[in-house]
Amino acid sequence: PTLMAVAFLGLQCESILLFHPRFSPVTNHALRVKLHQIFQIVGFVLGSIGMVIIYILKENAGKPHISSWHALFGLCAMILTLIQLVGGLPLIYSQIRKILPMSKSLGELKRKHAQMGLITVICGLTTVGLAFYSNWFIKKEFHRIYQNVAFGAVTTIIGVLFAQVYHGRLSVENQN
């Protein structure tokens, strides 16, 4: 769980915020793209390791897999992240764009990648929020306080990321 939280809350959210001029200390666009790529790959690897660890622990305990909303959203988030990783390759490597039969412009592909990325992160953050409603967490003494804080934090992060994607969409439209 810790690896997955670092992957989604830290690396993947930060990789999106790299493209916002107010939130990123990096001014070079090529460096932003490279850092985005690295953060996403490392985030996916950490999330995958976390999933394998949870699978092994559940298998050893004889517990069922994907038996909660948290697990279902987590699986969807990981699948969407993998799709995003593969879908981002044509944006970075023009050779792939030449091979694939695509009729969309680079700007349109970037816009779709950003929108799908937002859906992916919302799915991941929903998973984080649902973790606070798991049986394990509800057994804790102050679970209501943690649930409220988690809901507020996840909602705030989603709002900031939505603003980033919307800001990026406007920037691309103004350039055209």
Side-chain angles (χ1 to χ4, degrees), residues 1-174:
T2 303
L3 291 175
M4 297 167 125
V6 168
F8 274 96
L9 290 174
L11 294 170
Q12 293 189 336
C13 289
E14 185 60 36
S15 74
I16 292 171
L17 293 176
L18 278 169
F19 292 102
H20 197 286
R22 291 188 189 136
F23 296 128
S24 176
V26 181
T27 56
N28 181 312
H29 183 73
L31 181 58
R32 284 181 183 181
V33 170
K34 184 54 81 179
L35 288 173
H36 175 77
Q37 183 181 15
I38 291 167
F39 286 2
Q40 288 295 327
I41 291 169
V42 172
F44 181 74
V45 169
L46 290 178
S48 298
I49 292 169
M51 281 189 75
V52 168
I53 291 170
I54 290 169
Y55 179 85
I56 291 169
L57 290 174
K58 283 192 173 266
E59 198 64 30
N60 290 342
K63 293 184 177 180
H65 300 284
I66 316 298
S67 60
S68 66
W69 284 106
H70 168 73
L72 184 62
F73 270 86
L75 180 62
C76 288
M78 291 302 292
I79 291 169
L80 288 172
T81 301
L82 180 60
I83 291 169
Q84 277 294 94
L85 286 173
V86 173
L89 292 175
L91 303 176
I92 299 169
Y93 304 106
S94 60
Q95 300 87 351
I96 296 174
R97 280 195 311 274
K98 292 175 186 172
I99 296 170
L100 297 176
M102 292 187 279
S103 60
K104 304 227 182 276
S105 69
L106 181 59
E108 182 66 21
L109 289 173
K110 286 181 180 181
R111 204 169 15 260
K112 295 296 180 197
H113 181 70
Q115 291 166 348
M116 188 64 182
L118 180 63
I119 292 168
T120 302
V121 170
I122 287 172
C123 189
L125 292 175
T126 300
T127 304
V128 172
L130 288 170
F132 288 94
Y133 293 90
S134 66
N135 289 334
W136 178 87
F137 206 88
I138 288 176
K139 293 176 185 174
K140 301 299 176 195
E141 190 173 332
F142 297 107
H143 74 277
R144 287 281 182 223
I145 294 169
Y146 291 128
Q147 287 172 341
N148 292 334
V149 169
F151 178 78
V154 167
T155 305
T156 302
I157 292 170
I158 289 172
V160 169
L161 295 175
F162 178 80
Q164 165 58 24
V165 171
Y166 182 74
H167 170 75
R169 186 175 64 84
L170 289 178
S171 296
V172 171
E173 287 175 359
N174 290 340

